[in-house]
Amino acid sequence: MFYWSKLLAPFTPRAGRVGQMSYIFGFALPFAGLIAMTWVVFVGAPGLLGAPGYYAIALGWTFVLAMGDAYNIRRWRDLGNSAALYKLLRPGVVLLPLLAFILQFLIPAHLAMAGDVESLVFLMGIEFGGFTLQPAPLALLAITLVGVTGNILYLSLMPGQVGPNAYGPDPRSGGLPIDAIVQPGQAPADAEDDPVKRALVAYRQQQAASAAPAAPGSRAMQPAPTGAFGKKRR
């Protein structure tokens, strides 16, 4: 399936992983800021920025949603998840609000044009009495809001897996394997609580010690004495 977010693939690659802080500053905070700006333009102070404000909001949502898709996929992979469930549910972010818009405006408008008096009264009430949501559109928007908010909070608060996993190297190590940033003879911090990792570290240290050359002058390097045996005692 084609997604418009794929057009921004050169700017937000989908391969590999993205760290917790990169996700927060690259997607979560811009997303929250855009929501606040949208509320100001459409609800808090309508017409404050004029027509340019509406264009800026539309352009901002286009980029945040398109780039955010790649950010979310890579962040799920940083947690060791394939993001399959996220990919399955992500069309709902667009489809559910679109369905709410159809139920709130398009269907009443068509019914009013067909002569339905109740739909005509409803639309006139929106026009002159203020904006009110019907139960079905309100429920669809609430489901969307809860799903999006829960996804962002979870990915922002959960730390990623330490070391490389099936989706790439640890982004916190600059792309290096975790063994490369551990000093020789020093175990990783989480190995102290894992008996398997402790045994692995001890085995590596033992192998390194046995492979090291013996120091000059040690007993292993001294030649065997000659003439010490085979002589008759007087």
Side-chain angles (χ1 to χ4, degrees):
M1 182 179 295
F2 176 78
Y3 289 94
W4 290 104
S5 58
K6 293 183 179 180
L7 297 177
L8 297 177
F11 304 98
T12 53
R14 294 170 175 269
R17 303 158 56 183
V18 67
Q20 183 180 12
M21 299 308 298
S22 298
Y23 176 82
I24 292 175
F25 288 102
F27 173 73
L29 291 182
F31 184 80
L34 190 57
I35 289 179
M37 184 176 178
T38 303
W39 182 87
V40 170
V41 171
F42 288 95
V43 180
L48 177 64
L49 302 178
Y54 299 109
Y55 290 113
I57 291 295
L59 185 62
W61 277 112
T62 300
F63 275 92
V64 166
L65 291 179
M67 298 174 65
D69 189 50
Y71 267 103
N72 281 276
I73 291 175
R74 294 167 63 200
R75 182 71 184 110
W76 276 109
R77 291 173 177 172
D78 186 46
L79 301 179
N81 191 287
S82 64
L85 182 60
Y86 167 81
K87 294 177 182 178
L88 179 65
L89 298 179
R90 63 182 173 182
V93 178
V94 177
L95 295 180
L96 293 183
L98 180 60
L99 182 58
F101 176 79
I102 292 174
L103 294 175
Q104 179 74 17
F105 297 107
L106 292 186
I107 292 180
H110 281 80
L111 292 176
M113 289 186 295
D116 186 75
V117 178
E118 186 177 353
S119 298
L120 180 60
V121 172
F122 171 74
L123 292 176
M124 292 178 64
I126 293 178
E127 181 68 24
F128 298 105
F131 181 78
T132 56
L133 282 172
Q134 299 183 74
L138 180 61
L140 292 174
L141 293 177
I143 293 173
T144 305
L145 179 62
V146 170
V148 171
T149 304
N151 177 78
I152 294 177
L153 288 178
Y154 181 80
L155 295 181
S156 299
L157 297 177
M158 289 297 293
Q161 288 187 334
V162 178
N165 61 15
Y167 306 100
D170 191 342
R172 292 170 296 180
S173 65
L176 295 175
I178 193 65
D179 291 342
I181 59 175
V182 177
Q183 298 295 329
Q186 178 184 359
D190 59 345
E192 299 178 356
D193 300 327
D194 193 333
V196 177
K197 293 183 179 180
R198 288 202 304 266
L200 181 60
V201 171
Y203 174 76
R204 290 179 177 175
Q205 293 176 350
Q206 182 180 2
Q207 291 295 320
S210 62
S218 63
R219 296 182 61 88
M221 297 295 295
Q222 291 179 356
T226 59
F229 300 97
K231 291 185 178 181
K232 296 182 180 180
R233 298 180 61 183
R234 296 182 180 178

